[in-house]
Amino acid sequence: MRKGDKKMAIAKQEMLALNGDEAVAYAVKQSDVDVVAAYPITPQTIIVERFSEYVHNGEVDTEFVCVESEHSALTACLAAAATGARTFTASASAGLALMHEILYVTSGCRAPVVMAITNRALSAPINIHCDHSDSMVERDASWIQIYAENSQEAYDSIIQAFRIAEHPDILLPAMVMLDAFVLSHTLENVEVLSDEAVRRFVGTREIPLVKNHKGEVVPFKLDPENPLTMGPLDLYDYYFEHKRQQEEAMKRVPKAIKQVHDEYAEMSGRRYGNGLTESYRMEDAEIATVCVGSTAGTTKTVVDQLRDKGTKAGLLRLRTYRPVPKQDITEALKGVEAVAVMDRAHSFGGHGGPIFHEVRHLLYDSQTRPPVVNYIYGLGGRDMPQHLIHRIYKDLEKIVRTKEVEKPVQFIGVRE
Amino acid sequence: MTSQKKGWKDLPIAGVCWIPSTEYITGDWRTFKPVVDTEKCTLCLLCHLYCPDGAIHWNREAEEIEFDYDHCKGCGICAEECPVTAIEMVRE
């Protein structure tokens, strides 16, 4: 439903038993995608496996391109997107790392490719299980990053991602992350919208106009009838200006995410905070944790247990990491007395993990400037059980009590 | 120079070219320029075919080849390929 339309009642939905990968494939099936190019890698494989079945069965009108590597998968999507097509791919870990070069080419060419990432650890030693190292390391590639907490959110986020990425004021690619196995291979009740409702929501890709080399105003897409050059040699005289434009596009993303999220919420009845962050029992929280992904679900249970005992605990879940929701983080944490950031990725030799860097950095400018500590957890799929999260909140209580931080950065759940 | 170039607010996105490449002068990259000896040249036009910049033209009226020095970068492929060594690379 577009803004300005009459309010609609929540759309009729069907409950399906889907794992995270299947939920993603289902969302892509409904989103009227023109081109999918992908290469299999655990734990993402089910996404494109299911999708190739939809293609085989004639359930979608999508060109499915089998390629020989992830580098080519993203290149094919980029090229298709440059012609105005709606495109999708999926990857993880080493596959995403192999795409690294083309991630920058895609955003630089302002190609709104949507990609699902099932977060998996990077080798070596080889490991197929969940951590966020693969996508966190791509934070600087000018891609929008949305982290899902559960498979339902993965489904919803994929549909929203097409609208956000293709927004004519943005035109940046978007990744939607879901945790390997915890979500990708775990069966969950997922409410799905009708094909028609999703199709109406995503609409057709709107192509903005641009001036070509003859001074003519033409659609921003590769078309033999209206030749256009994208992403050519761009040296010290213009490259910097083009990068500056990308940052400007990123600045417009939070508004678009909120808007698309609101529209989607009206249709589906599902809301994830304000689309950028989700505050869980943060109203009067004295101690709080910050995290992304499925661990937020476990943490909510821990917060409930602590609240039952009278501890004023809260959770701030980041749904987007790029762009980082600056205002929301500062606003949500301004009244808190101590904050713990949980990172499922580590920057070796740095001072803590990637989310910690952002949160602590942002709070430096806040009036209250609460102590912010960091816990690196769950690397290579190591479980993050409730008792470890309880320990983090206990540490925060101690920091509030003693006003002292013993260890600003530590690992949790690793054997000594 | 910088002040005459478009800023990020006016530039088309994605590096889309807003002027034809023929207007983007690259001849000043050159250190050596090709010069043809019209006595030796047989007008076989191999140089025209090999030129990566399309900077060698056949002037039918004058029955000579011509170099587009606005775009010739001085790579020297024409001189290398000329079967009768009619092209010499001369320092600018």
Side-chain angles (χ1 to χ4, degrees):
Chain A
M1 187 175 70
R2 304 282 169 173
K3 227 178 181 175
D5 285 2
K6 264 202 238 162
K7 284 214 169 187
M8 277 165 46
I10 290 171
K12 201 177 164 217
Q13 294 175 71
E14 195 183 351
M15 180 87 82
L16 298 179
L18 299 173
N19 64 37
D21 279 358
E22 289 170 335
V24 168
Y26 204 89
V28 179
K29 173 193 162 187
Q30 297 182 306
S31 297
D32 195 19
V33 175
D34 299 304
V35 176
V36 170
Y39 189 81
I41 183 168
T42 300
Q44 161 277 137
T45 310
I46 305 168
I47 299 176
V48 284
E49 240 173 40
R50 284 291 170 279
F51 195 80
S52 63
E53 287 168 18
Y54 297 142
V55 174
H56 178 79
N57 296 340
E59 292 176 70
V60 287
D61 182 23
T62 304
E63 184 75 29
F64 189 89
V65 190
C66 291
V67 287
E68 84 295 351
S69 75
E70 287 86 354
H71 191 278
S72 300
L74 187 54
T75 305
C77 286
L78 153 66
T83 70
R86 175 171 290 154
T87 58
F88 173 83
T89 187
S91 198
S93 183
L96 180 57
L98 188 57
M99 286 178 175
H100 177 74
E101 178 197 1
I102 312 302
L103 291 177
Y104 283 73
V105 184
T106 307
S107 53
C109 284
R110 307 299 293 275
V113 175
V114 171
M115 169 155 63
I117 300 295
T118 45
N119 282 122
R120 164 185 156 179
L122 287 161
S123 297
I126 198 162
N127 181 301
I128 57 168
H129 291 279
C130 178
D131 70 38
H132 300 149
S133 311
D134 54 356
S135 60
M136 286 290 173
V137 76
E138 303 299 356
R139 66 182 184 179
D140 299 336
S142 190
W143 280 60
I144 297 159
Q145 290 199 347
I146 298 171
Y147 288 81
E149 182 187 319
N150 48 46
S151 300
Q152 179 72 65
E153 191 180 348
Y155 167 85
D156 295 331
S157 302
I158 289 285
I159 295 167
Q160 293 170 24
F162 287 109
R163 283 277 303 276
I164 299 159
E166 293 171 5
H167 195 296
D169 290 344
I170 293 173
L171 289 173
L172 288 173
M175 329 180 165
V176 174
M177 267 61 71
L178 59 157
D179 285 351
F181 295 99
V182 179
L183 299 184
S184 71
H185 286 60
T186 307
L187 214 57
E188 189 183 305
N189 286 335
V190 177
E191 282 197 337
V192 299
L193 293 151
S194 69
D195 292 356
E196 197 203 330
V198 175
R199 209 166 255 243
R200 205 169 45 232
F201 184 81
V202 293
T204 46
R205 193 180 145 190
E206 197 181 325
I207 309 285
L209 297 171
V210 70
K211 254 189 191 170
N212 71 5
H213 55 281
K214 293 177 189 164
E216 300 160 346
V217 178
V218 296
F220 175 63
K221 62 176 186 177
L222 296 182
D223 174 6
E225 299 298 317
N226 291 302
L228 204 68
T229 307
M230 290 179 193
L233 185 71
D234 197 20
L235 302 179
Y236 44 75
D237 44 1
Y238 288 109
Y239 179 89
F240 204 170
E241 280 71 23
H242 287 124
K243 294 296 119 179
R244 178 66 185 80
Q245 290 176 334
Q246 285 174 231
E247 180 56 25
E248 201 60 20
M250 268 292 178
K251 280 187 191 166
R252 298 186 199 116
V253 175
K255 194 179 156 200
I257 288 181
K258 282 185 190 176
Q259 190 189 323
V260 171
H261 173 262
D262 282 349
E263 273 184 50
Y264 190 87
E266 276 185 47
M267 173 177 67
S268 68
R270 285 184 295 278
R271 195 171 272 287
Y272 303 101
N274 65 359
L276 300 168
T277 60
E278 183 192 357
S279 291
Y280 189 76
R281 306 192 80 165
M282 284 294 292
E283 312 80 50
D284 59 341
E286 288 169 1
I287 50 174
T289 56
V290 180
C291 72
V292 299
S294 65
T295 302
T298 321
T299 307
K300 285 174 183 172
T301 306
V302 172
V303 167
D304 288 345
Q305 291 163 358
L306 290 169
R307 285 278 178 175
D308 286 347
K309 287 185 205 155
T311 308
K312 288 184 175 174
L315 160 72
L316 178 68
R317 176 171 77 91
L318 307 189
R319 185 161 177 259
T320 62
Y321 178 66
R322 281 293 176 271
V324 73
K326 296 177 207 152
Q327 283 178 335
D328 303 80
I329 291 174
T330 317
E331 188 63 26
L333 299 175
K334 70 176 181 194
V336 174
E337 291 175 42
V339 181
V341 178
M342 295 189 270
D343 268 296
R344 203 162 193 169
H346 184 53
S347 178
F348 296 95
H351 190 58
I355 307 172
F356 178 64
H357 293 163
E358 298 291 349
V359 174
R360 203 184 211 217
H361 175 46
L362 286 166
L363 291 182
Y364 187 85
D365 287 333
S366 77
Q367 294 294 315
T368 49
R369 206 187 284 173
V372 187
V373 293
N374 191 207
Y375 293 83
I376 309 294
Y377 75 97
L379 298 189
R382 177 64 51 86
D383 201 16
M384 186 61 168
Q386 291 179 19
H387 72 88
L388 290 182
I389 300 171
H390 270 291
R391 212 178 87 195
I392 292 174
Y393 280 105
K394 205 162 270 176
D395 287 357
L396 287 178
E397 285 182 293
K398 192 180 167 195
I399 290 169
V400 172
R401 206 169 50 241
T402 62
K403 308 261 181 265
E404 266 178 45
V405 174
E406 278 175 39
K407 285 186 197 164
V409 178
Q410 55 184 300
F411 293 85
I412 190 160
V414 66
R415 292 183 300 277
E416 295 290 329
Chain B
M1 269 307 276
T2 313
S3 60
Q4 295 168 12
K5 288 179 177 151
K6 286 179 193 278
W8 65 265
K9 291 177 184 170
D10 299 319
L11 268 185
I13 58 166
V16 165
C17 292
W18 73 98
I19 53 168
S21 58
T22 47
E23 285 178 32
Y24 194 72
I25 305 303
T26 49
D28 56 359
W29 298 11
R30 194 173 54 237
T31 311
F32 291 91
K33 72 172 184 182
V35 177
V36 65
D37 179 344
T38 49
E39 294 294 314
K40 282 189 184 175
C41 175
T42 63
L43 285 180
C44 72
L45 299 183
L46 268 179
C47 55
H48 164 78
L49 294 174
Y50 273 102
C51 177
D53 281 309
I56 303 176
H57 307 295
W58 175 26
N59 183 331
R60 283 169 190 261
E61 282 165 23
E63 294 201 343
E64 281 179 12
I65 58 160
E66 282 175 356
F67 297 102
D68 169 4
Y69 289 120
D70 279 344
H71 296 98
C72 164
K73 301 188 184 75
C75 70
I77 290 174
C78 54
E80 182 68 25
E81 295 298 334
C82 179
V84 293
T85 61
I87 300 172
E88 194 189 348
M89 299 303 290
V90 180
R91 184 177 278 276
E92 290 278 353

